[in-house]
Coordinates of all heavy atoms in Angstrom, one line a residue:
M57 N 102.1 71.6 124.7 CA 102.5 72.3 123.5 C 104.0 72.2 123.4 O 104.8 73.0 123.9 CB 102.1 73.8 123.6 CG 100.6 73.9 123.5 SD 99.8 75.6 123.4 CE 101.1 76.7 123.5
A58 N 104.4 71.2 122.6 CA 105.9 71.0 122.5 C 106.6 72.0 121.6 O 107.7 72.2 121.7 CB 106.1 69.6 122.0
N59 N 105.8 72.7 120.7 CA 106.4 73.6 119.8 C 106.3 75.0 120.2 O 106.7 75.9 119.5 CB 105.8 73.5 118.4 CG 106.1 72.1 117.7 OD1 107.1 71.5 118.1 ND2 105.3 71.7 116.9
S60 N 105.8 75.3 121.4 CA 105.6 76.7 121.8 C 107.0 77.2 122.3 O 107.8 76.5 122.8 CB 104.6 76.8 122.9 OG 105.1 76.2 124.1
P61 N 107.2 78.5 122.1 CA 108.5 79.1 122.4 C 108.8 79.1 123.9 O 109.9 79.2 124.4 CB 108.4 80.5 121.9 CG 107.0 80.7 121.4 CD 106.3 79.4 121.4
T62 N 107.7 78.9 124.7 CA 107.9 79.0 126.2 C 108.2 77.6 126.8 O 108.5 77.5 127.9 CB 106.7 79.5 126.9 OG1 105.5 78.7 126.5 CG2 106.4 81.0 126.5
S63 N 108.1 76.5 125.9 CA 108.4 75.2 126.4 C 109.9 75.1 126.6 O 110.7 75.7 125.9 CB 107.9 74.1 125.5 OG 108.5 74.2 124.3
E64 N 110.3 74.2 127.5 CA 111.7 74.0 127.8 C 112.3 73.2 126.6 O 111.7 72.4 125.9 CB 111.9 73.2 129.1 CG 111.4 73.9 130.3 CD 111.6 73.1 131.5 OE1 112.4 72.1 131.5 OE2 110.9 73.5 132.5
P65 N 113.6 73.4 126.3 CA 114.3 72.7 125.2 C 114.3 71.2 125.5 O 114.4 70.8 126.7 CB 115.7 73.3 125.2 CG 115.9 74.1 126.4 CD 114.5 74.4 127.0
K66 N 114.2 70.4 124.5 CA 114.3 69.0 124.6 C 115.7 68.5 125.0 O 116.7 69.1 124.5 CB 113.8 68.3 123.3 CG 112.4 68.6 122.9 CD 112.1 68.0 121.6 CE 110.7 68.3 121.2 NZ 110.4 67.8 119.9
M67 N 115.7 67.6 125.9 CA 117.0 67.1 126.3 C 117.2 65.7 125.7 O 116.3 64.9 125.7 CB 117.1 67.0 127.8 CG 116.9 68.3 128.5 SD 118.2 69.4 128.2 CE 118.6 69.9 129.8
N68 N 118.4 65.4 125.2 CA 118.7 64.1 124.7 C 119.3 63.2 125.9 O 119.4 63.7 127.0 CB 119.6 64.1 123.5 CG 120.9 64.8 123.7 OD1 121.3 64.9 124.9 ND2 121.6 65.1 122.7
D69 N 119.7 62.1 125.6 CA 120.3 61.1 126.6 C 121.5 61.7 127.3 O 121.7 61.4 128.5 CB 120.6 59.8 126.0 CG 119.3 59.1 125.5 OD1 118.3 59.4 126.0 OD2 119.5 58.2 124.6
A70 N 122.3 62.5 126.6 CA 123.5 63.1 127.3 C 123.2 64.3 128.1 O 124.1 64.8 128.7 CB 124.5 63.4 126.2
G71 N 121.9 64.8 128.1 CA 121.6 65.9 128.9 C 121.8 67.3 128.2 O 121.8 68.3 128.8
T72 N 122.1 67.2 126.9 CA 122.3 68.5 126.2 C 121.0 68.9 125.5 O 120.0 68.1 125.4 CB 123.4 68.3 125.1 OG1 122.9 67.2 124.2 CG2 124.7 67.9 125.7
S73 N 120.9 70.1 125.1 CA 119.6 70.6 124.6 C 119.4 70.1 123.2 O 120.2 69.3 122.6 CB 119.7 72.1 124.5 OG 120.7 72.6 123.7
A74 N 118.3 70.4 122.6 CA 117.8 69.9 121.3 C 118.9 70.2 120.2 O 119.7 71.1 120.4 CB 116.5 70.6 120.8
S75 N 118.9 69.4 119.2 CA 119.9 69.5 118.1 C 119.8 70.9 117.4 O 118.8 71.5 117.4 CB 119.8 68.4 117.2 OG 118.6 68.5 116.4
S76 N 120.9 71.2 116.8 CA 120.9 72.5 116.0 C 120.0 72.5 114.9 O 119.4 73.5 114.5 CB 122.3 72.8 115.6 OG 122.8 71.8 114.7
S77 N 119.7 71.3 114.3 CA 118.8 71.3 113.2 C 117.3 71.6 113.7 O 116.6 72.2 113.0 CB 118.8 69.9 112.5 OG 118.4 68.9 113.4
D78 N 117.0 71.1 114.9 CA 115.7 71.5 115.5 C 115.6 73.0 115.7 O 114.6 73.6 115.4 CB 115.5 70.8 116.8 CG 115.3 69.3 116.6 OD1 115.0 68.8 115.4 OD2 115.4 68.5 117.6
L79 N 116.7 73.6 116.2 CA 116.7 75.0 116.4 C 116.6 75.8 115.1 O 115.9 76.8 115.0 CB 117.9 75.4 117.2 CG 118.0 74.9 118.7 CD1 119.3 75.3 119.3 CD2 116.8 75.5 119.5
E80 N 117.3 75.3 114.1 CA 117.3 76.0 112.8 C 115.9 75.9 112.2 O 115.4 76.9 111.6 CB 118.3 75.4 111.9 CG 119.7 75.7 112.2 CD 120.7 75.0 111.3 OE1 120.3 74.3 110.4 OE2 121.9 75.1 111.6
A81 N 115.2 74.8 112.4 CA 113.9 74.6 111.9 C 112.9 75.6 112.6 O 112.0 76.2 112.0 CB 113.4 73.2 112.1
E82 N 113.1 75.7 113.9 CA 112.3 76.6 114.7 C 112.5 78.1 114.3 O 111.6 78.9 114.1 CB 112.6 76.5 116.2 CG 111.7 77.3 117.1 CD 110.2 76.8 117.1 OE1 110.0 75.7 116.8 OE2 109.4 77.7 117.4
V83 N 113.7 78.4 114.0 CA 114.1 79.8 113.6 C 113.5 80.1 112.2 O 112.9 81.1 111.9 CB 115.6 80.0 113.6 CG1 116.0 81.3 112.8 CG2 116.1 80.1 115.0
S84 N 113.5 79.1 111.3 CA 112.9 79.2 110.0 C 111.4 79.4 110.1 O 110.9 80.2 109.4 CB 113.2 78.0 109.1 OG 114.6 77.9 108.8
R85 N 110.8 78.6 111.0 CA 109.4 78.7 111.2 C 109.0 80.1 111.7 O 108.1 80.8 111.3 CB 108.9 77.6 112.1 CG 107.5 77.3 112.0 CD 107.0 76.1 112.8 NE 107.9 75.6 113.9 CZ 108.6 74.5 113.8 NH1 108.5 73.7 112.8 NH2 109.3 74.2 114.9
L86 N 109.8 80.6 112.7 CA 109.6 81.9 113.2 C 109.8 83.0 112.2 O 109.0 84.0 112.1 CB 110.5 82.2 114.4 CG 110.2 81.4 115.7 CD1 111.3 81.6 116.7 CD2 108.8 81.8 116.2
R87 N 110.8 82.9 111.3 CA 111.0 83.9 110.2 C 109.8 83.9 109.3 O 109.4 84.9 108.8 CB 112.3 83.5 109.5 CG 113.5 83.9 110.2 CD 114.7 83.7 109.4 NE 115.9 84.1 110.1 CZ 117.1 83.6 109.9 NH1 117.3 82.7 109.0 NH2 118.1 84.0 110.7
A88 N 109.3 82.7 108.9 CA 108.2 82.6 108.0 C 106.9 83.3 108.7 O 106.2 84.0 108.0 CB 107.9 81.2 107.7
D89 N 106.7 83.0 110.0 CA 105.6 83.6 110.7 C 105.7 85.1 110.7 O 104.8 85.9 110.5 CB 105.5 83.1 112.1 CG 105.0 81.6 112.1 OD1 104.5 81.1 111.1 OD2 105.1 81.0 113.2
L90 N 106.9 85.6 111.0 CA 107.2 87.0 111.0 C 107.0 87.7 109.6 O 106.4 88.8 109.5 CB 108.6 87.3 111.5 CG 109.0 88.8 111.7 CD1 108.1 89.5 112.7 CD2 110.4 88.9 112.1
S91 N 107.4 87.0 108.6 CA 107.2 87.5 107.2 C 105.7 87.6 106.9 O 105.3 88.6 106.3 CB 107.9 86.6 106.2 OG 107.7 87.0 104.9
A92 N 105.0 86.6 107.2 CA 103.5 86.6 107.0 C 102.8 87.7 107.8 O 102.0 88.4 107.2 CB 102.9 85.2 107.3
L93 N 103.2 87.9 109.0 CA 102.7 88.9 109.8 C 103.0 90.3 109.3 O 102.1 91.2 109.2 CB 103.2 88.8 111.3 CG 102.6 89.8 112.3 CD1 101.1 89.7 112.4 CD2 103.3 89.6 113.6
T94 N 104.2 90.5 108.8 CA 104.6 91.8 108.2 C 103.7 92.0 107.0 O 103.3 93.2 106.8 CB 106.1 91.7 107.8 OG1 106.8 91.5 109.0 CG2 106.5 93.0 107.2
K95 N 103.5 91.0 106.1 CA 102.7 91.2 104.9 C 101.3 91.6 105.3 O 100.6 92.4 104.7 CB 102.7 90.0 104.1 CG 104.0 89.8 103.4 CD 104.0 88.5 102.6 CE 105.4 88.3 101.9 NZ 105.5 87.0 101.2
Q96 N 100.7 90.9 106.3 CA 99.3 91.2 106.8 C 99.2 92.6 107.3 O 98.3 93.3 107.0 CB 98.9 90.2 107.8 CG 98.6 88.8 107.3 CD 98.3 87.9 108.5 OE1 98.5 88.1 109.6 NE2 97.7 86.7 108.1
L97 N 100.2 93.0 108.1 CA 100.1 94.4 108.6 C 100.3 95.4 107.5 O 99.6 96.5 107.6 CB 101.2 94.6 109.7 CG 101.0 93.9 111.0 CD1 102.2 94.0 111.9 CD2 99.8 94.4 111.7
S98 N 101.1 95.2 106.6 CA 101.3 96.1 105.4 C 100.0 96.2 104.7 O 99.6 97.3 104.3 CB 102.4 95.6 104.6 OG 102.6 96.4 103.4
S99 N 99.4 95.1 104.4 CA 98.1 95.1 103.7 C 97.0 95.8 104.4 O 96.3 96.6 103.9 CB 97.7 93.6 103.4 OG 96.4 93.6 102.8
A100 N 97.0 95.6 105.7 CA 96.0 96.3 106.5 C 96.2 97.8 106.6 O 95.3 98.6 106.5 CB 95.9 95.7 108.0
G101 N 97.5 98.2 106.7 CA 97.8 99.6 106.7 C 97.5 100.2 105.4 O 97.0 101.4 105.3
S102 N 97.8 99.5 104.3 CA 97.5 100.1 103.0 C 96.0 100.2 102.8 O 95.6 101.3 102.3 CB 98.1 99.1 101.9 OG 97.7 99.6 100.6
H103 N 95.3 99.3 103.2 CA 93.8 99.3 103.1 C 93.3 100.5 103.9 O 92.4 101.3 103.5 CB 93.2 98.0 103.5 CG 91.7 98.1 103.5 ND1 91.0 98.1 102.3 CD2 90.7 98.1 104.5 CE1 89.7 98.2 102.6 NE2 89.5 98.1 103.9
S104 N 93.8 100.7 105.2 CA 93.3 101.8 106.0 C 93.7 103.1 105.4 O 92.9 104.1 105.4 CB 94.0 101.7 107.4 OG 93.5 100.5 108.0
Y105 N 94.9 103.2 104.8 CA 95.3 104.5 104.2 C 94.4 104.8 103.0 O 94.0 105.9 102.8 CB 96.7 104.3 103.7 CG 97.2 105.5 102.9 CD1 97.5 106.7 103.5 CD2 97.3 105.4 101.5 CE1 97.9 107.8 102.7 CE2 97.7 106.4 100.7 CZ 98.1 107.6 101.3 OH 98.5 108.7 100.6
D106 N 94.1 103.8 102.2 CA 93.2 104.0 101.0 C 91.8 104.4 101.4 O 91.2 105.3 100.8 CB 93.1 102.7 100.2 CG 94.4 102.4 99.5 OD1 95.3 103.3 99.4 OD2 94.6 101.3 99.0
A107 N 91.3 103.8 102.5 CA 89.9 104.2 103.0 C 89.9 105.6 103.5 O 89.0 106.4 103.3 CB 89.5 103.2 104.1
A108 N 91.0 106.0 104.3 CA 91.0 107.3 104.9 C 91.2 108.3 103.7 O 90.6 109.4 103.8 CB 92.2 107.4 105.8
R109 N 92.0 108.0 102.7 CA 92.2 108.9 101.6 C 90.9 109.1 100.9 O 90.5 110.3 100.5 CB 93.3 108.4 100.7 CG 93.6 109.3 99.6 CD 94.7 108.9 98.8 NE 95.0 109.8 97.7 CZ 95.9 109.7 96.8 NH1 96.6 108.5 96.7 NH2 96.0 110.5 95.8
A110 N 90.1 108.1 100.6 CA 88.9 108.2 99.9 C 87.9 109.0 100.7 O 87.1 109.9 100.2 CB 88.3 106.8 99.6
A111 N 87.8 108.8 102.0 CA 86.9 109.6 102.9 C 87.3 111.0 102.9 O 86.4 111.9 102.8 CB 86.9 109.0 104.3
A112 N 88.6 111.3 103.0 CA 89.0 112.7 102.9 C 88.7 113.4 101.6 O 88.3 114.5 101.6 CB 90.6 112.8 103.2
Q113 N 88.9 112.6 100.5 CA 88.5 113.2 99.2 C 87.1 113.5 99.1 O 86.7 114.5 98.5 CB 89.0 112.2 98.1 CG 88.8 112.8 96.7 CD 89.7 114.0 96.5 OE1 90.8 114.1 96.9 NE2 89.1 115.0 95.9
Q114 N 86.2 112.6 99.6 CA 84.8 112.9 99.6 C 84.5 114.1 100.4 O 83.6 114.9 100.0 CB 84.0 111.7 100.2 CG 84.0 110.5 99.3 CD 83.3 109.3 99.9 OE1 83.0 109.3 101.1 NE2 83.1 108.3 99.1
G115 N 85.1 114.3 101.6 CA 84.9 115.5 102.4 C 85.3 116.7 101.7 O 84.6 117.8 101.7
V116 N 86.5 116.7 101.0 CA 86.9 117.9 100.2 C 85.9 118.2 99.1 O 85.6 119.4 98.9 CB 88.3 117.6 99.7 CG1 88.7 118.6 98.6 CG2 89.4 117.6 100.8
D117 N 85.5 117.2 98.4 CA 84.5 117.4 97.3 C 83.2 118.0 97.9 O 82.6 118.9 97.3 CB 84.2 116.1 96.6 CG 85.4 115.6 95.8 OD1 86.3 116.3 95.5 OD2 85.4 114.4 95.5
R118 N 82.8 117.5 99.0 CA 81.5 118.1 99.6 C 81.7 119.5 100.0 O 80.9 120.4 99.8 CB 81.2 117.2 100.8 CG 79.8 117.4 101.3 CD 79.3 116.4 102.4 NE 80.4 115.8 103.2 CZ 80.7 114.6 103.2 NH1 80.1 113.7 102.5 NH2 81.7 114.1 104.0
L119 N 82.9 119.8 100.6 CA 83.2 121.2 101.0 C 83.3 122.1 99.8 O 82.8 123.3 99.9 CB 84.5 121.3 101.8 CG 84.4 120.8 103.2 CD1 85.8 120.8 103.9 CD2 83.5 121.6 104.1
R120 N 83.9 121.7 98.7 CA 83.9 122.5 97.5 C 82.6 122.8 97.0 O 82.3 123.9 96.5 CB 84.8 121.8 96.5 CG 86.3 121.9 96.7 CD 87.1 121.3 95.6 NE 88.5 121.4 95.9 CZ 89.4 120.6 95.4 NH1 89.1 119.7 94.5 NH2 90.7 120.8 95.7
S121 N 81.7 121.8 97.0 CA 80.4 121.9 96.5 C 79.6 122.9 97.4 O 78.9 123.8 96.8 CB 79.6 120.6 96.5 OG 78.3 120.7 96.2
N122 N 79.7 122.8 98.7 CA 79.1 123.7 99.6 C 79.6 125.2 99.4 O 78.8 126.1 99.4 CB 79.2 123.3 101.0 CG 78.4 122.1 101.4 OD1 77.5 121.7 100.6 ND2 78.7 121.4 102.5
A123 N 80.9 125.3 99.2 CA 81.5 126.6 99.0 C 81.0 127.2 97.7 O 80.7 128.4 97.7 CB 83.0 126.5 99.0
Q124 N 80.8 126.4 96.7 CA 80.3 126.9 95.4 C 78.9 127.4 95.6 O 78.5 128.4 95.0 CB 80.4 125.8 94.3 CG 80.0 126.3 93.0 CD 81.0 127.4 92.4 OE1 82.2 127.3 92.6 NE2 80.4 128.4 91.8
V125 N 78.1 126.7 96.3 CA 76.7 127.0 96.5 C 76.6 128.4 97.3 O 75.9 129.3 96.9 CB 75.9 125.9 97.3 CG1 74.6 126.4 97.8 CG2 75.8 124.7 96.4
L126 N 77.4 128.5 98.3 CA 77.5 129.8 99.1 C 77.9 130.9 98.2 O 77.4 132.0 98.3 CB 78.4 129.6 100.3 CG 77.8 128.7 101.4 CD1 78.9 128.5 102.5 CD2 76.6 129.3 102.0
E127 N 78.9 130.7 97.4 CA 79.4 131.8 96.6 C 78.3 132.2 95.6 O 78.1 133.4 95.4 CB 80.7 131.3 95.8 CG 81.2 132.4 94.9 CD 82.4 131.8 94.0 OE1 82.8 130.7 94.2 OE2 82.8 132.6 93.2
D128 N 77.6 131.3 95.0 CA 76.5 131.6 94.1 C 75.4 132.4 94.8 O 74.9 133.3 94.2 CB 75.9 130.3 93.5 CG 76.9 129.6 92.6 OD1 77.9 130.2 92.1 OD2 76.7 128.4 92.3
Q129 N 75.1 132.0 96.1 CA 74.1 132.8 96.8 C 74.6 134.2 97.1 O 73.8 135.1 97.0 CB 73.8 132.1 98.1 CG 73.1 130.8 98.0 CD 72.9 130.0 99.3 OE1 73.5 130.4 100.3 NE2 72.1 129.0 99.3
V130 N 75.9 134.4 97.5 CA 76.4 135.7 97.7 C 76.3 136.6 96.5 O 75.9 137.7 96.5 CB 77.8 135.7 98.3 CG1 78.5 137.0 98.3 CG2 77.8 135.1 99.7
V131 N 76.8 136.0 95.4 CA 76.8 136.7 94.1 C 75.4 137.1 93.7 O 75.1 138.3 93.3 CB 77.5 135.9 93.0 CG1 77.2 136.5 91.6 CG2 78.9 135.8 93.3
E132 N 74.4 136.2 93.9 CA 73.0 136.5 93.6 C 72.5 137.7 94.5 O 71.8 138.6 94.0 CB 72.2 135.3 93.8 CG 70.7 135.4 93.4 CD 69.9 134.2 93.6 OE1 70.5 133.1 93.5 OE2 68.7 134.3 94.0
R133 N 72.8 137.6 95.8 CA 72.3 138.7 96.7 C 73.0 140.1 96.3 O 72.3 141.1 96.4 CB 72.7 138.4 98.1 CG 72.0 137.2 98.7 CD 70.8 137.6 99.4 NE 70.0 136.4 99.8 CZ 69.7 136.1 101.0 NH1 69.9 137.0 102.0 NH2 69.0 135.0 101.3
V134 N 74.2 140.0 95.9 CA 74.9 141.3 95.6 C 74.3 141.9 94.3 O 74.1 143.1 94.2 CB 76.4 141.1 95.4 CG1 77.1 142.2 94.7 CG2 77.1 140.8 96.7
H135 N 73.9 141.0 93.4 CA 73.2 141.5 92.1 C 71.8 142.0 92.4 O 71.4 143.0 91.8 CB 73.2 140.4 91.1 CG 74.4 140.1 90.4 ND1 75.0 141.0 89.5 CD2 75.3 139.0 90.4 CE1 76.2 140.5 89.1 NE2 76.3 139.3 89.6
E136 N 71.2 141.4 93.4 CA 69.8 141.8 93.8 C 69.8 143.2 94.5 O 69.0 144.1 94.3 CB 69.1 140.8 94.6 CG 68.7 139.6 93.9 CD 68.1 138.5 94.9 OE1 68.0 138.8 96.1 OE2 67.8 137.4 94.4
K137 N 70.8 143.3 95.5 CA 70.8 144.5 96.3 C 72.3 145.0 96.4 O 72.9 144.9 97.4 CB 70.3 144.2 97.7 CG 68.8 143.7 97.7 CD 68.4 143.4 99.1 CE 67.0 142.9 99.0 NZ 66.4 142.5 100.3
P138 N 72.7 145.7 95.4 CA 74.2 146.1 95.4 C 74.5 147.2 96.4 O 75.6 147.2 97.0 CB 74.4 146.7 94.0 CG 73.0 147.0 93.4 CD 72.1 146.1 94.1
L139 N 73.6 148.1 96.7 CA 73.8 149.1 97.7 C 73.9 148.6 99.1 O 74.8 148.9 99.9 CB 72.8 150.2 97.7 CG 72.8 151.1 96.4 CD1 71.7 152.1 96.4 CD2 74.1 151.8 96.3
Q140 N 73.0 147.6 99.4 CA 73.1 147.0 100.7 C 74.4 146.2 100.9 O 75.0 146.2 101.9 CB 71.9 146.0 100.9 CG 71.8 145.4 102.2 CD 70.6 144.4 102.4 OE1 70.0 144.1 101.4 NE2 70.4 143.9 103.6
A141 N 74.8 145.5 99.8 CA 76.1 144.8 99.8 C 77.3 145.7 100.1 O 78.2 145.4 100.8 CB 76.3 144.0 98.6
L142 N 77.2 146.9 99.4 CA 78.3 147.8 99.6 C 78.3 148.4 101.0 O 79.4 148.5 101.6 CB 78.1 149.0 98.6 CG 79.2 150.1 98.6 CD1 80.6 149.4 98.2 CD2 78.8 151.2 97.6
A143 N 77.2 148.6 101.6 CA 77.1 149.1 103.0 C 77.6 148.1 103.9 O 78.3 148.4 104.9 CB 75.6 149.5 103.3
I144 N 77.2 146.8 103.7 CA 77.7 145.8 104.6 C 79.2 145.6 104.5 O 79.9 145.5 105.5 CB 77.0 144.4 104.3 CG1 75.5 144.5 104.7 CG2 77.7 143.3 105.0 CD1 74.7 143.4 104.2
A145 N 79.8 145.7 103.3 CA 81.2 145.6 103.1 C 81.9 146.8 103.8 O 83.0 146.6 104.4 CB 81.6 145.6 101.6
A146 N 81.4 148.0 103.7 CA 82.0 149.1 104.3 C 82.0 149.0 105.8 O 82.9 149.3 106.5 CB 81.3 150.4 103.9
A147 N 80.8 148.5 106.4 CA 80.7 148.4 107.8 C 81.7 147.3 108.3 O 82.4 147.5 109.4 CB 79.3 148.0 108.2
A148 N 81.8 146.2 107.6 CA 82.8 145.2 108.0 C 84.2 145.7 107.9 O 85.0 145.4 108.8 CB 82.6 144.0 107.1
G149 N 84.5 146.5 106.9 CA 85.9 147.0 106.8 C 86.2 148.0 107.9 O 87.3 148.0 108.5
Y150 N 85.2 148.8 108.3 CA 85.4 149.8 109.4 C 85.6 149.0 110.7 O 86.4 149.3 111.5 CB 84.1 150.7 109.5 CG 84.2 151.7 110.6 CD1 85.1 152.8 110.5 CD2 83.5 151.5 111.7 CE1 85.1 153.7 111.5 CE2 83.6 152.5 112.8 CZ 84.4 153.5 112.6 OH 84.5 154.5 113.6
F151 N 84.8 148.0 110.9 CA 84.9 147.2 112.1 C 86.2 146.5 112.2 O 86.9 146.5 113.3 CB 83.7 146.1 112.2 CG 83.8 145.3 113.4 CD1 83.5 145.8 114.6 CD2 84.1 143.9 113.3 CE1 83.5 145.0 115.8 CE2 84.2 143.1 114.4 CZ 83.9 143.6 115.6
L152 N 86.7 145.9 111.1 CA 88.0 145.3 111.1 C 89.1 146.3 111.3 O 90.1 146.0 112.0 CB 88.2 144.5 109.8 CG 87.4 143.3 109.7 CD1 87.6 142.7 108.3 CD2 87.7 142.2 110.7
A153 N 89.0 147.5 110.8 CA 90.0 148.5 111.0 C 90.0 148.9 112.5 O 91.1 149.2 113.0 CB 89.7 149.8 110.2
L154 N 88.9 149.0 113.2 CA 88.9 149.3 114.6 C 89.6 148.2 115.4 O 90.3 148.5 116.3 CB 87.4 149.5 115.1 CG 86.7 150.8 114.7 CD1 85.3 150.7 115.2 CD2 87.4 151.9 115.3
L155 N 89.3 147.0 115.0 CA 90.0 145.9 115.8 C 91.5 145.9 115.5 O 92.2 145.5 116.4 CB 89.3 144.6 115.3 CG 87.9 144.3 115.8 CD1 87.5 142.9 115.2 CD2 87.9 144.2 117.3
N156 N 91.9 146.2 114.3 CA 93.3 146.2 114.0 C 94.1 147.3 114.6 O 95.3 147.1 114.9 CB 93.4 146.3 112.4 CG 94.8 145.8 112.0 OD1 95.4 145.0 112.6 ND2 95.1 146.2 110.8
R157 N 93.4 148.4 115.0 CA 94.2 149.5 115.6 C 94.6 149.2 117.0 O 95.5 149.7 117.6 CB 93.3 150.8 115.6 CG 93.3 151.5 114.3 CD 92.9 152.9 114.4 NE 91.5 153.0 114.9 CZ 90.9 154.1 115.0 NH1 91.5 155.2 114.7 NH2 89.7 154.2 115.5
R158 N 93.9 148.3 117.7 CA 94.2 148.0 119.1 C 95.3 147.1 119.3 O 95.9 146.4 118.9 CB 92.9 147.4 119.7 CG 91.8 148.4 119.8 CD 90.6 147.8 120.4 NE 89.5 148.7 120.4 CZ 88.6 148.8 121.2 NH1 88.6 148.1 122.3 NH2 87.7 149.7 121.1

């Protein structure tokens, strides 16, 4: 692999390393590779962010739907048995007051 970064520099007849134009070409190639890699990582990160955001939005929508169903059930029960709902609320308030005093 003559173009790999781990290979030794080419020596010319005078024993000096490869010409500056060869080094400049290698640096240009490395810059292009780095630029392409940066674009790929950015694209992958953007895609991951969009997927996570969509999944989170679906979760929020599902939670809102479930909360609405629970709220409707509670309202229905309170309309069916208002005295029982009042007694439960009073007991819960009393219990919370006992816990709060300690």
